[in-house]
Amino acid sequence: ECMYGNDDARTVEKINEDSLRYTYACITESMRLCPTVLQTARDLLKPLDLDGCVIPVGTRVFINLVKLHVDERNFDRPLEFCPERWVRWEDGEWIEREDEVESIDRKGNPSSSRVDNNKHTNDYCHNQGPKSNNPHHQSQNEHAETIPAANPKNFLAFSHGARNCVGKRLAILETTMMVAMIVKDFIV
């Protein structure tokens, strides 16, 4: 009522939680390709060895997030907009794909920073359980089968770890709800 004023009779309809997962994936993928913050900086707390060149403690290091997010070592087919790297269609709903990413040790070193495409192609997506009759969902699954799940540790639009953005959850929630409210009246 407060959003539209007391005289307006509009009501907020329940938004399908399943659709919000895909909306969230679209927003995440958009921020991967066009991050709102282009770079971040950190002061080294210990020496960093980069191919034999040692960078001393206290040096301020700048991290180019745009380059990081379009690097093939971090994301397969990095220049493609593919929300299915974050979610997959399974048993009639969108499921986050984080469970497909291999573990990362406490120092942030991945045992394999990217998922082996062949390992998961036959084990995930619409191959488990009944297929959706919706042609859009079937085409999305075909796309999800051809691209490995994104490793969330490689997505730094809000930074990561102890110094990540404190407003990340709120920003994602507000953006997801705003997009959902804008597109709810459109037939997609």
Side-chain angles (χ1 to χ4, degrees):
E1 290 180 25
C2 295
M3 181 190 286
Y4 297 112
N6 293 334
D7 297 330
D8 200 331
R10 293 183 212 175
T11 60
V12 177
E13 298 174 17
K14 183 179 179 200
I15 297 175
N16 183 341
E17 185 179 335
D18 181 50
S19 298
L20 291 181
R21 281 192 200 99
Y22 193 75
T23 304
Y24 167 78
C26 290
I27 291 168
T28 303
E29 186 68 356
S30 296
M31 289 191 316
R32 183 187 69 80
L33 290 170
C34 301
T36 55
V37 176
L38 303 178
Q39 68 181 2
T40 187
R42 295 289 184 265
D43 293 332
L44 294 179
L45 300 176
K46 60 183 180 180
L48 176 65
D49 185 350
L50 292 175
D51 295 327
C53 178
V54 178
I55 302 171
V57 172
T59 303
R60 178 159 290 166
V61 178
F62 289 89
I63 303 164
N64 182 338
L65 298 180
V66 176
K67 179 68 176 155
L68 181 77
H69 288 164
V70 296
D71 190 322
E72 288 185 349
R73 292 173 292 183
N74 297 321
F75 297 97
D76 276 11
R77 301 191 328 245
L79 298 177
E80 290 182 32
F81 179 82
C82 182
E84 293 77 22
R85 67 178 88 237
W86 306 101
V87 294
R88 71 178 181 275
W89 181 256
E90 183 179 299
D91 296 331
E93 64 181 339
W94 289 105
I95 306 292
E96 292 183 30
R97 294 182 70 184
E98 287 184 23
D99 61 322
E100 296 177 39
V101 178
E102 294 183 26
S103 65
I104 297 176
D105 69 17
R106 302 189 94 174
K107 294 181 182 177
N109 300 319
S111 56
S112 172
S113 65
R114 291 171 41 208
V115 175
D116 178 6
N117 199 18
N118 296 325
K119 178 179 176 184
H120 293 284
T121 299
N122 295 324
D123 296 340
Y124 289 89
C125 301
H126 67 355
N127 291 330
Q128 293 182 0
K131 293 183 181 180
S132 168
N133 292 329
N134 184 329
H136 172 71
H137 294 155
Q138 290 174 358
S139 68
Q140 298 296 10
N141 276 334
E142 290 166 9
H143 200 175
E145 282 186 342
T146 64
I147 195 157
N151 187 333
K153 303 259 184 190
N154 293 338
F155 175 69
L156 297 177
F158 292 95
S159 192
H160 197 73
R163 295 185 177 219
N164 71 343
C165 175
V166 296
K168 174 184 177 179
R169 293 181 66 132
L170 180 61
I172 291 291
L173 177 65
E174 285 183 338
T175 306
T176 302
M177 294 305 295
M178 180 187 68
V179 170
M181 294 298 289
I182 290 171
V183 300
K184 75 178 177 66
D185 294 326
F186 292 96
I187 298 173
V188 181

